[in-house]
Amino acid sequence: MRIQKESVLFWARVLLCAILLCLGAFVFTEEAFPWWVNLIVFLLAYAIIAYDIVFEMFESMVKEHHFFEESTLMVLASVGAFCLRAFGPEYHEYLEGVLVILLFQIGEHLQELAEEKSRSAIVSALDLREELALVENEDGTLQKKKAEELAPGDVVVLKTGEKSLCDAVVCQGGGAMDESSLTGESLPVEKQEGDAIFAGSIVASGSFRARVSKPYEESTSAKLLALIEESAASKSKTTRFITRFSRVYTPIVFALALLVAIVPPLFVGNWASFVYAALSFLVVSCPCAIVISVPLAYFAGLGLASKKGILVKGAGFLDQAASLRTVAFDKTGTLTEGRFSLVKIAPISMSEPAFMEAFAIAESRSNHPIAKAIAAAAPDIPSTLVERAEETAGFGTKVFANGHVYEAGRAPKDDARRADSEQGVLVYLSIDGIDQGYLVLRDAPKEGSLRAIQGLKAKNIDPLLLSGDRKENVAAFSEALGIERYYGELKPAEKTQKLREEMKETQGAVAFVGDGINDAPSIVLADIGFAMGGLGSDVAVENADVVLLGDDPRSLLDFLDVATKTRRRAAWCVGISLFVKFSIMVASLVASFMGTWSIPLSVSVFGDSGIALVCVLIAVSIAYTGKKKA
């Protein structure tokens, strides 16, 4: 609403200024009225359209000590056009002086509208604060509540076509949810009782009663929305370079304009023509096309990535992707499904039922995918049975229950219990330090893993596998995917050390892709840290630089494509802007030396504001290219 009001007021000013310009040009001419009447009409038009620019110029000078902003150049150029009359009546450019500011203001306003349009398109699917949810009261009646009013424990009713405004767990019903606004995945996801649904997803089919699990501020949608806004504020190396460039470039061009206005006339005369050329220099030299469009290109790149289910926490990572030379992967849950199936039970002296019950106790407090798979195959145990539990990343769990100590996890490298002939993940059990046997579980590669590895190789990026799994399993898995370099049986600290060694040896950036707590140190250490499957994973969202929300390794290739496209658009903006500006500067100088014609100031205005608008449109168009990941 605020933007709309500001836009109406702005266009009212433009209309009033245009009316005064017509009066000055066609009614109150110097042929029909004294010259000062014509001047007053144009000065009034100038004041209406330029007062905020003049105020901005003085504010920048006094408060920020910036003397070469684009507002300063525009005011000097427009005032200079009014002062040309000092060289004679035939040189006055009152109309040009007002047009300089008028066209500059219109270009700036259109740029703001384009940026606002881009930002709105990016966050509209995630901002749920103004929408209403149907909440079931204790007496069975339904009540409408805003997303921010929903509290954990509330039961919401969802029907086909409706959007979930909160993270919740299905307590009744079933169907499919469209999570494309969050993950970029176009295929609906089947949900049934006990499954989690996420804020921002839409019921594609069926109906649900779901219990709210988190307040809106902690929901997936709210977190993504906040992170997108934070990402937009994070400047890339390119945008920081552009800021420094403009502060050096602008005073140089200002000095050049001063030289054009003074030095040539000392030898060839024709002061008015060279001052006019200098004014053109001032107008066209403004770097606003670069300063505005390049950061906007990166913001639009962040938007395109979010449409593909990729959350990038800073524009700088789009730049860093250009120097990416190695991508190190975790295996379980990253390149594999992370859904283990139990294939062998090997107790030493216990019966299988007793053995599985003991395993259920040992794994009862762990959220690791392997622990969940074992718990699913084991009998349920009372939650009050466990007195205390400890979990060590990369090793396993230790549980105190029934007066005994239950330990489940992998065997140390030098332990005689190791069953190296088994194909799969081995988990050993001991009670009070006595070996009780092991389980064998297997995990299949994700559908997109092979294509992701092949795509990286096609881009001359070397894949590397760092896994805590047994060497035999890691070797077989790597061979199946075509990964030449791999390491197995790595504890989290060893995995981080291998990554650190890789970063020292590699001439370029090194990324790490993981999915769990074990991978957090490596995700933080890497030049670019990727987290797989960010939905519901606070650790992944907090530690990763890039979150692949769809849990698909192929999203890594999408990220690299978005980064390439963004950098290319930013380079186009810089190249087009500099080429047009340089061409107009040279043409103005040539015209001054010839003395028979001149480049109108309006052409210089187009070289600044017009090209800036063209660059903005090139930049924001990134967010509307490509399709969501299928």
Side-chain angles (χ1 to χ4, degrees):
M1 184 63 71
R2 181 183 64 83
I3 295 294
Q4 291 178 351
K5 289 181 178 179
E6 290 181 354
S7 186
V8 169
L9 291 174
F10 172 78
W11 289 113
R13 289 168 55 197
V14 170
L15 178 61
L16 184 56
C17 178
I19 292 173
L20 289 172
L21 289 181
C22 291
L23 290 175
F26 301 109
V27 178
F28 297 101
T29 61
E30 292 196 11
E31 289 77 13
F33 292 86
W35 67 270
W36 53 267
V37 175
N38 184 258
L39 175 61
I40 289 175
V41 173
F42 281 109
L43 283 177
L44 185 59
Y46 185 85
I48 290 172
I49 200 63
Y51 71 87
D52 52 343
I53 295 293
V54 176
F55 177 79
E56 180 183 331
M57 179 190 72
F58 284 109
E59 187 177 46
S60 179
M61 288 180 175
V62 174
K63 292 184 177 180
E64 302 175 15
H65 304 291
H66 293 161
F67 299 96
F68 296 104
E69 300 286 347
E70 58 265 25
S71 57
T72 306
L73 298 182
M74 285 298 173
V75 170
L76 289 177
S78 56
V79 170
F82 276 87
C83 295
L84 281 175
R85 197 181 194 284
F87 296 103
E90 67 277 13
Y91 289 112
H92 86 80
E93 296 289 351
Y94 302 155
L95 179 61
E96 294 278 11
V98 180
L99 282 177
V100 167
I101 293 293
L102 177 62
L103 295 177
F104 175 73
Q105 286 275 51
I106 291 175
E108 291 284 294
H109 185 71
L110 292 178
Q111 290 159 25
E112 290 177 6
L113 291 179
E115 182 174 355
E116 183 63 26
K117 178 72 173 177
S118 175
R119 185 183 300 271
S120 299
I122 292 168
V123 304
S124 60
L126 295 176
D127 195 351
L128 310 175
R129 286 171 290 187
E130 297 303 318
E131 300 191 39
L132 298 175
L134 277 179
V135 180
E136 187 178 274
N137 297 321
E138 293 183 0
D139 59 2
T141 59
L142 298 178
Q143 176 186 0
K144 289 184 177 181
K145 287 186 178 182
K146 289 185 177 181
E148 294 174 310
E149 298 172 345
L150 296 174
D154 285 347
V155 175
V156 295
V157 178
L158 294 169
K159 300 177 182 179
T160 301
E162 295 180 344
K163 183 183 291 185
S164 175
L165 307 188
C166 57
D167 286 359
V169 176
V170 178
C171 55
Q172 185 180 350
M177 298 295 295
D178 177 1
E179 298 178 347
S180 58
S181 63
L182 301 173
T183 67
E185 177 58 60
S186 59
L187 294 177
V189 180
E190 292 294 328
K191 301 286 184 179
Q192 57 187 355
E193 188 173 339
D195 289 340
I197 59 176
F198 304 102
S201 57
I202 299 172
V203 181
S205 63
S207 61
F208 302 89
R209 289 176 69 252
R211 194 175 303 279
V212 178
S213 57
K214 296 178 182 178
Y216 172 78
E217 293 77 11
E218 299 178 11
S219 69
T220 301
S221 178
K223 286 181 179 179
L224 298 186
L225 182 62
L227 285 170
I228 288 173
E229 294 291 347
E230 291 171 10
S231 299
S234 177
K235 288 187 175 182
S236 70
K237 292 180 181 177
T238 300
T239 61
R240 290 194 293 269
F241 164 76
I242 290 301
T243 301
R244 295 194 300 269
F245 164 79
S246 65
R247 291 182 179 175
V248 174
Y249 160 85
T250 304
I252 289 176
V253 174
F254 183 83
L256 183 61
L258 197 61
L259 289 175
V260 169
I262 297 175
V263 176
L266 294 176
F267 299 96
V268 299
N270 198 9
W271 284 86
S273 180
F274 283 102
V275 169
Y276 197 92
L279 295 178
S280 293
F281 269 50
L282 289 179
V283 173
V284 78
S285 67
C286 293
C288 57
I290 302 172
V291 173
I292 293 173
S293 63
V294 171
L296 193 55
Y298 279 87
F299 177 76
L302 296 176
L304 177 59
S306 69
K307 286 168 62 178
K308 293 178 176 289
I310 305 167
L311 179 60
V312 187
K313 294 188 183 179
F317 301 115
L318 296 176
D319 272 336
Q320 210 158 12
S323 60
L324 196 60
R325 295 294 175 266
T326 303
V327 176
F329 291 92
D330 169 55
K331 183 174 81 71
T332 303
T334 301
L335 293 177
T336 68
E337 293 288 349
R339 293 192 291 269
F340 292 85
S341 57
L342 184 61
V343 295
K344 184 175 180 179
I345 302 174
I348 293 176
S349 59
M350 302 173 67
S351 66
E352 284 194 5
F355 184 64
M356 292 305 297
E357 183 177 345
F359 247 117
I361 294 173
E363 301 284 20
S364 59
R365 295 293 179 87
S366 176
N367 288 319
H368 193 281
I370 294 177
K372 290 182 177 180
I374 294 173
D380 294 333
I381 61 167
S383 59
T384 56
L385 188 64
V386 177
E387 300 166 5
R388 182 162 60 90
E390 300 174 359
E391 183 169 4
T392 304
F395 290 93
T397 61
K398 179 186 289 188
V399 170
F400 299 84
N402 291 330
H404 298 283
V405 179
Y406 297 78
E407 294 181 88
R410 69 180 191 178
K413 294 179 180 179
D414 57 352
D415 198 307
R417 296 180 301 165
R418 291 168 53 85
D420 291 334
S421 61
E422 300 284 2
Q423 289 296 314
V425 177
L426 275 68
V427 184
Y428 294 86
L429 174 70
S430 67
I431 301 177
D432 296 330
I434 301 173
D435 184 20
Q436 302 296 329
Y438 63 88
L439 300 177
V440 180
L441 300 95
R442 289 179 188 163
D443 187 16
K446 288 180 179 176
E447 181 182 353
S449 295
L450 179 59
R451 181 180 165 189
I453 299 301
Q454 292 174 339
L456 289 176
K457 288 184 174 182
K459 296 177 182 291
N460 295 318
I461 297 175
D462 186 24
L464 170 68
L465 187 62
L466 303 177
S467 175
D469 198 359
R470 294 189 306 138
K471 291 181 179 179
E472 294 79 4
N473 292 339
V474 173
F477 183 84
S478 300
E479 183 179 350
L481 293 184
I483 300 176
E484 286 81 17
R485 295 197 300 141
Y486 53 86
Y487 299 91
E489 299 183 359
L490 298 176
K491 301 182 183 72
E494 294 171 334
K495 190 182 294 187
T496 304
Q497 181 58 34
K498 284 290 184 184
L499 182 64
R500 185 176 285 109
E501 293 172 2
E502 183 69 23
M503 294 173 69
K504 288 182 180 179
E505 296 173 2
T506 301
Q507 298 297 319
V510 176
F512 183 86
V513 189
D515 73 317
I517 296 175
N518 294 358
D519 302 319
S522 299
I523 289 175
V524 173
L525 174 64
D527 295 314
I528 309 178
F530 292 85
M532 297 292 294
L535 289 178
S537 176
D538 291 336
V539 174
V541 171
E542 290 171 4
N543 289 283
D545 304 312
V546 182
V547 181
L548 309 179
L549 297 173
D551 205 19
D552 187 342
R554 289 173 294 185
S555 295
L556 186 61
L557 303 179
D558 291 334
F559 167 79
L560 295 174
D561 290 340
V562 169
T564 300
K565 183 177 294 186
T566 300
R567 294 193 307 272
R568 189 175 296 143
R569 293 293 178 93
W572 268 101
C573 290
V574 173
I576 290 173
S577 177
L578 291 180
F579 174 77
V580 172
K581 290 175 182 294
F582 181 76
S583 298
I584 293 176
M585 287 179 180
V586 171
S588 298
L589 192 58
V590 170
S592 298
F593 275 106
M594 293 180 65
T596 56
W597 57 284
S598 62
I599 302 295
L601 281 182
S602 56
V603 173
S604 299
V605 172
F606 171 77
D608 176 61
S609 297
I611 292 300
L613 182 57
V614 170
C615 290
V616 164
L617 293 177
I618 292 174
V620 300
S621 66
I622 298 174
Y624 303 96
T625 60
K627 298 180 179 180
K628 290 182 180 180
K629 177 173 62 66

